Amino acid sequence: LSGTPVIFLTARAAETDRLVGLDEMTAASLTALKDAPQDPLLNQYFLSATAAREATLQQLGNALPAGSTMASF
């Protein structure tokens, strides 16, 4: 990654950390929803975490250098 700005790497690391946290939140809220499927607060947590994860993935994809692709996370 010679010549890659440190700011890009720091931002990418922060977004990767955010994805890990959002994955954990999504899993926890989904587990809770299995116990209380009609709970609107738990449903909102799940939907919000899922939407935030998708937005973060999109930001990461948009920040990649030209010609790069993100295989998975």
Side-chain angles (χ1 to χ4, degrees), residues 2-62:
S2 178
T4 302
V6 174
I7 294 171
F8 174 76
L9 294 176
T10 303
R12 186 172 177 194
E15 288 176 338
T16 301
D17 289 344
R18 183 183 307 149
L19 281 173
V20 171
L22 290 169
D23 284 344
E24 291 171 358
M25 290 175 61
T26 301
S29 59
L30 187 58
T31 299
L33 274 171
K34 289 179 182 177
D35 293 333
Q38 299 300 320
D39 189 316
L41 183 62
L42 294 175
N43 190 48
Q44 187 58 48
Y45 282 148
F46 175 74
L47 293 174
S48 293
T50 302
R53 184 182 190 284
E54 291 302 315
T56 301
L57 284 171
Q58 186 174 18
Q59 288 174 349
L60 270 172
N62 290 339

